[in-house]
Amino acid sequence: MAWFKRIKPSIRTTDRRDVPEGLWSKCDECGAMLHRRQLEENLNTCNECGHHFRISPYRYFSILFDNEEFTEFDDCLRTADPLGFTDTKKYPDRVHDTIEKSGKTEACRNAYGKSAGADLVISAMDFGFIGGSMGSVVGEKISRAADKAIELNAPLIVISQSGGARMMEGAFSLMQMAKTAARLTRLGERKLPFISLMTDPTMGGISASFAMLGDLNISEPKALIGFAGPRVIRDTIKRDLPEGFQRAEFLLEHGFVDMIVHRKELKQRLAKTLSMMRVEG
Ligand SMILES: [Zn+2]
């Protein structure tokens, strides 16, 4: 059975929702009114409180690749419907409607290019496509990004932004956890760095698989990172949870995250880290 299908590559080059409506955006954290141009100059972070707005894979590519030049690959994969799943609507209809409405093609995009002059492969997830959930296509794309890194002898960065597994694909979705984790070990065998960048949110099957397997696990400030949501945990253990539970800063303090990096320093910090990890010869 095919878990996904190949279609002709999309001719779309931008996500329609990349462009915010109007000239002003309100910071979700501190309520400051931020001018769109100023917000873009600050890489979609609030200059009052440092809040990191959620951004698309293309925005990460433009931030991290030199001169915003990159080559996208495997944009031709579309999900199949292995379970014939229906909730309030049929799964294929939900996928179709999401593509039509958002201009996004799946919850993950792959690209390679140069970053700080060195080859780099990036696989970036997108919460705007069914909550960034990992179905068969997302798992396949992350696995292929690992293959591309091996082909180019380059490091891989996976940028997570996801609510977890895609429920509409049931066990096929959960299998992607094992598949991606297994494929990433091939990078280690070749001494190629795998960097995990966790952004808000990195939850469920994502944090339980590849997102925590980086040679370096980095997070953006205040990102929500965890497995089950706090309400589920509180109701299960019948205890109050510590202040800041499941936030990046809490996880850094408890050793689950290696470093927290502001988006404006991300490219520079990555370049420095990767140059230290590079194995000569
Ligand atoms: Zn703010």
Side-chain angles (χ1 to χ4, degrees):
M1 188 199 306
W3 303 342
F4 52 84
K5 55 198 172 188
R6 180 180 289 273
I7 60 140
K8 285 183 183 168
S10 166
I11 55 166
R12 291 190 182 109
T13 54
T14 58
D15 290 344
R16 276 174 237 156
R17 287 190 179 171
D18 273 0
V19 184
E21 287 169 16
L23 277 177
W24 297 88
S25 291
K26 192 176 177 185
C27 174
D28 297 333
E29 192 73 24
C30 73
M33 292 305 289
L34 305 166
H35 194 272
R36 182 174 146 186
R37 196 191 310 156
Q38 189 188 32
L39 193 56
E40 283 180 7
E41 280 169 6
N42 280 319
L43 307 185
N44 301 75
T45 62
C46 174
N47 61 352
E48 297 288 331
C49 73
H51 172 65
H52 282 46
F53 286 69
R54 200 173 286 156
I55 56 173
S56 73
Y58 281 140
R59 187 75 173 117
Y60 278 108
F61 295 161
S62 73
I63 291 169
L64 292 175
F65 287 121
D66 297 345
N67 306 316
E68 304 186 15
E69 288 174 10
F70 58 87
T71 304
E72 187 171 3
F73 61 98
D74 287 330
D75 188 37
C76 53
L77 300 179
R78 297 290 181 277
T79 188
D81 183 19
L83 301 180
F85 190 88
T86 300
D87 47 29
T88 51
K89 53 167 106 166
K90 289 180 177 173
Y91 179 43
D93 293 344
R94 186 179 295 283
V95 170
H96 177 266
D97 292 352
T98 305
I99 292 172
E100 283 300 304
K101 221 182 282 179
S102 67
K104 301 168 193 289
T105 55
E106 246 300 340
C108 173
R109 287 190 185 277
N110 288 346
Y112 64 89
K114 298 273 186 195
S115 182
D119 287 326
L120 181 67
V121 180
I122 304 177
S123 191
M125 303 187 77
D126 191 338
F127 194 79
F129 193 98
I130 315 185
S133 53
M134 177 162 68
S136 305
V137 170
V138 170
E140 178 67 13
K141 289 180 88 165
I142 290 170
S143 301
R144 290 189 186 199
D147 293 346
K148 180 63 80 179
I150 290 169
E151 181 192 322
L152 299 175
N153 199 35
L156 170 68
I157 296 176
V158 178
I159 302 173
S160 298
Q161 188 186 87
S162 172
R166 189 168 300 172
M167 298 307 174
M168 302 85 167
E169 294 185 32
F172 292 97
S173 171
L174 299 180
M175 284 161 61
Q176 307 309 313
M177 296 166 62
K179 173 174 160 176
T180 50
R183 197 73 72 94
L184 288 164
T185 61
R186 295 187 189 172
L187 293 178
E189 287 162 8
R190 286 162 178 79
K191 305 242 185 298
L192 291 171
F194 162 48
I195 309 277
S196 172
L197 173 63
M198 291 174 265
T199 75
D200 188 66
T202 297
M203 297 296 288
I206 307 304
S207 67
S209 62
F210 58 85
M212 286 289 179
L213 295 177
D215 296 310
L216 201 64
N217 295 325
I218 303 177
S219 173
E220 287 189 338
K222 294 189 179 166
L224 181 71
I225 301 165
F227 186 67
R231 201 167 15 145
V232 174
I233 297 172
R234 197 183 303 118
D235 291 350
T236 305
I237 65 172
K238 314 279 185 215
R239 284 171 59 183
D240 287 334
L241 301 171
E243 178 90 15
F245 177 70
Q246 289 185 325
R247 290 287 167 190
E249 290 70 13
F250 186 90
L251 295 174
L252 177 72
E253 211 175 295
H254 292 82
F256 286 90
V257 165
D258 297 315
M259 60 166 88
I260 296 172
V261 180
H262 193 287
R263 199 178 284 157
K264 286 169 87 171
E265 295 171 8
L266 183 60
K267 184 176 179 181
Q268 194 192 6
R269 293 285 291 276
L270 280 174
K272 197 173 171 190
T273 304
L274 288 172
S275 76
M276 286 194 298
M277 293 170 95
R278 200 161 291 136
V279 178
E280 298 299 333

